[in-house]
Amino acid sequence: MIDDEILEIEGGDWVWSPGFYAGQVRAELLGPGHRVRATYLLDVSPHPGKLGRDTFQAMLDQIWDFDPSLVLGTEPAALPVGHEAAILDPWLEYARLRAYGDKFLRALSAISRQPLRELRAERAHLPLPQVRRADRQTALAALGSAQLLTVLGFGSGGATPTGVLPHFDVPVARETLDGAGNRCIAAIAHAVSRRAVRLKDRLQSITEKESESTTRTALAVRWPRRREFLDQLAARLHHFQRISPLVDVTRREISAAGLNAVSADPAYSSAYGSGWRILRRGVKGPPQAERMWMSPTWEIYERWCFV
């Protein structure tokens, strides 16, 4: 498979030739059930009769400094990008979902197995045999109740009816999943889920409106696998949002307390880091491990002339 396009087999071999583009192309070897067994990066050079590699790279650098959106496209060739500044591009959003989505899901799975719990101070009305702690409010409430004073031996009057135990207002500590760390992860999981659902409709529309071209690589042949990825990602995110601990939070929010809790736990830290990388929009700055698709070489040349 070349950039999500399944290759035909001829005589026991996979046959592929690049189109009008240059850069690194991702190739995947699929096993049973279309599971990826190995991934390769194939280097496609500029046509030797038209542009040398150094000249082509110099063109890319000049356009990139002027406006990165003029370099980005949908051809199988890709180049490493940074994460600074901001750019609105649906295929960039998809590329980051693809790059970090699986890691995000693995982190959510680890969180669901061992979620963070917090002890929350509350008050309860308990009978005397169940009282473990008392405070000033407990004492003041007891002093204001003749029945409680009778139970404690300080009051006067009739005995308490058989089987009826008066309740004391006492402090208790309850364990809860509705903590700052889980609220933080719930917020970022909700944002990633919304992006996956929205992108499917938007990219579907872009693919359907694509016109046939002999100088561009068709999106239609690559879209089925990408749509399948988005469907599976959205379904799994929906699953995690309906089970503990994400279903137990009363609100989704990113707070200072939540970030402190997240940073102290490896699974939570991994989930937040992956989610943040999915949601960021920048491409400038030092190149990272992320890669983004480019425009065809003829379009790069035209845009270099414009710049």
Side-chain angles (χ1 to χ4, degrees):
M1 176 174 289
I2 300 292
D3 194 41
D4 294 323
E5 179 182 356
I6 298 179
L7 298 181
E8 300 294 333
I9 298 180
E10 297 182 13
D13 299 319
W14 291 280
V15 179
W16 168 72
S17 59
F20 296 90
Y21 53 80
Q24 288 193 337
V25 178
R26 189 183 79 251
E28 295 175 321
L29 178 63
L30 304 182
H34 278 199
R35 295 177 64 88
V36 177
R37 301 294 298 274
T39 302
Y40 307 91
L41 288 179
L42 308 179
D43 189 27
V44 179
S45 301
H47 193 285
K50 296 181 180 179
L51 286 175
R53 182 183 296 276
D54 294 340
T55 303
F56 183 67
Q57 186 60 49
M59 286 181 173
L60 285 177
D61 293 341
Q62 291 180 30
I63 303 172
W64 191 265
D65 290 339
F66 179 75
D67 184 356
S69 65
L70 297 178
V71 175
L72 303 180
T74 60
E75 293 299 311
L79 77 165
V81 298
H83 59 79
E84 298 173 3
I87 183 172
L88 298 176
D89 185 283
W91 289 111
L92 173 63
E93 294 178 4
Y94 172 82
R96 287 189 164 136
L97 272 173
R98 191 69 178 268
Y100 301 106
D102 288 340
K103 184 178 181 181
F104 185 60
L105 291 174
R106 288 195 297 270
L108 290 181
S109 180
I111 288 173
S112 67
R113 291 193 298 270
Q114 291 185 321
L116 290 178
R117 290 177 166 83
E118 292 185 5
L119 289 177
R120 183 163 299 168
E122 299 178 356
R123 302 200 70 81
H125 289 79
L126 302 176
L128 184 59
Q130 297 180 21
V131 172
R132 297 293 178 268
R133 295 180 57 215
D135 59 7
R136 178 182 177 86
Q137 184 172 332
T138 306
L140 291 175
L143 290 174
S145 171
Q147 187 180 29
L148 293 178
L149 289 175
T150 300
V151 172
L152 294 174
F154 297 106
S156 60
T160 303
T162 305
V164 177
L165 293 176
H167 287 61
F168 290 82
D169 180 6
V170 295
V172 294
R174 298 192 187 279
E175 197 174 68
T176 179
L177 291 170
D178 184 24
N182 290 325
R183 290 176 182 175
C184 185
I185 297 302
I188 203 161
H190 178 70
V192 172
S193 178
R194 288 186 60 186
R195 172 161 296 186
V197 173
R198 178 179 55 81
L199 268 181
K200 178 188 172 182
D201 295 335
R202 191 174 179 189
L203 296 179
Q204 176 80 50
S205 176
I206 292 173
T207 303
E208 291 175 350
K209 293 178 181 178
E210 180 188 34
S211 57
E212 292 187 9
S213 173
T214 58
T215 59
R216 292 183 185 275
T217 306
L219 288 170
V221 294
R222 293 175 280 167
W223 174 239
R225 180 169 170 81
R226 295 177 180 180
R227 181 180 57 218
E228 179 184 9
F229 167 78
L230 289 173
D231 285 338
Q232 292 178 352
L233 179 65
R236 293 196 63 191
L237 286 172
H238 183 63
H239 165 73
F240 284 118
Q241 288 177 298
R242 297 184 64 184
I243 64 174
S244 292
L246 302 189
V247 75
D248 298 300
V249 301
T250 54
R251 62 182 181 272
R252 297 182 289 262
E253 63 178 4
I254 297 177
S255 61
L259 294 177
N260 286 336
V262 162
S263 64
D265 185 279
Y268 280 74
S269 179
S270 176
Y272 184 83
S274 301
W276 175 77
R277 288 177 176 86
I278 287 172
L279 297 173
R280 64 188 180 185
R281 299 178 180 272
V283 293
K284 284 194 172 184
Q288 306 292 316
E290 302 167 3
R291 311 188 68 81
M292 184 56 197
W293 297 289
M294 297 168 53
S295 298
T297 51
W298 59 266
E299 196 169 82
I300 293 294
Y301 177 72
E302 288 183 351
R303 291 177 175 179
W304 175 79
C305 292
F306 165 74
V307 169

